[in-house]
Amino acid sequence: DMDISRVKEILLQTKLYETIRIAWRDLTGEAPLSETLSDLSNLADAIVDMAIKTLHESVCERYGRPVDSEGNFQQIIVLGMGKLGAGELNFSSDIDLIFVYPKPGYTNGETIISNEEFFTKICRQFLKFFSAGSHEINFYRIDTRLRPYGDGGPLVMSNLAFEEYYQAQGREWERYA
């Protein structure tokens, strides 16, 4: 069983160390602004990726792997929006994320759940993973309100549902983003 709290600890240390390195290069004029923003975006990207992979494995241990009707394994897709999506994250930016998974289906473990349920569990754990503890250094603030239907919508949708939303109901700015 993977120790999620240990992974969180390592990622917090990594974020602190790397943020200091990036800030130092920025403050001493060693790095242009574009490099600073790009480094901060890549750091956030890597941390989000590692957190998702860890939580995916953890949920798989319980329910098996999520597969589509042809038996293909399904992975969550994390879309970085806003400043992260543009590669322009700054030191205090929120991270705007949208979660999608390829196809509906079920897990192949002892306890079977739908892919939607599987990926919703990952998303909930992910948000909990990044929620600030009382004594911790500042991790990332995750904002998921840019997703289809905003706060009222599901945390994660299948590719098809996602596409249908943007074709039928997506507002101009949403399609553009």
Side-chain angles (χ1 to χ4, degrees):
D1 185 33
M2 242 173 310
D3 188 359
I4 291 170
S5 61
R6 180 75 186 114
V7 171
K8 182 172 181 174
E9 214 175 284
I10 292 166
L11 291 180
L12 276 165
Q13 286 168 355
T14 303
K15 181 181 187 244
L16 182 62
Y17 177 84
E18 285 297 313
T19 302
I20 291 169
R21 180 188 67 78
I22 295 165
W24 179 257
R25 286 180 52 74
D26 182 41
L27 293 169
T28 57
E30 289 294 312
L33 179 63
S34 59
E35 186 184 311
T36 299
L37 300 179
S38 166
D39 280 356
L40 288 168
S41 301
N42 291 335
L43 173 62
D45 220 19
I47 288 176
V48 164
D49 190 51
M50 193 64 219
I52 284 284
K53 283 185 173 133
T54 303
L55 295 169
H56 183 96
E57 285 311 309
S58 158
V59 178
C60 282
E61 280 173 15
R62 216 163 146 208
Y63 301 100
R65 303 220 164 260
V67 294
D68 65 12
S69 55
E70 282 91 56
N72 301 310
F73 292 137
Q74 302 291 294
Q75 286 278 10
I76 196 164
I77 299 155
V78 183
L79 300 173
M81 307 293 284
K83 287 190 171 119
L84 177 62
E88 295 172 355
L89 212 64
N90 62 44
F91 289 100
S92 61
S93 302
D94 285 11
I95 295 184
D96 295 300
L97 298 176
I98 296 180
F99 302 102
V100 187
Y101 63 94
K103 293 180 179 172
Y106 294 90
T107 57
N108 62 9
E110 297 273 304
T111 312
I112 295 173
I113 58 174
S114 71
N115 287 355
E116 184 176 12
E117 210 179 324
F118 179 91
F119 291 114
T120 301
K121 284 181 188 301
I122 290 180
C123 290
R124 289 218 174 99
Q125 287 181 24
F126 179 85
L127 294 176
K128 202 173 136 210
F129 188 96
F130 284 98
S131 63
S134 49
H135 57 277
E136 290 178 75
I137 57 167
N138 186 24
F139 218 171
Y140 293 108
R141 287 183 313 279
I142 307 289
D143 189 344
T144 58
R145 291 173 302 186
L146 291 179
R147 70 184 187 268
Y149 309 106
D151 266 345
L155 261 180
V156 62
M157 289 176 129
S158 73
N159 234 336
L160 188 64
F162 189 71
E163 218 174 287
E164 278 171 359
Y165 170 83
Y166 284 103
Q167 282 178 350
Q169 316 197 34
R171 299 186 289 280
E172 201 71 19
W173 68 267
E174 286 183 295
R175 287 200 195 100
Y176 177 73

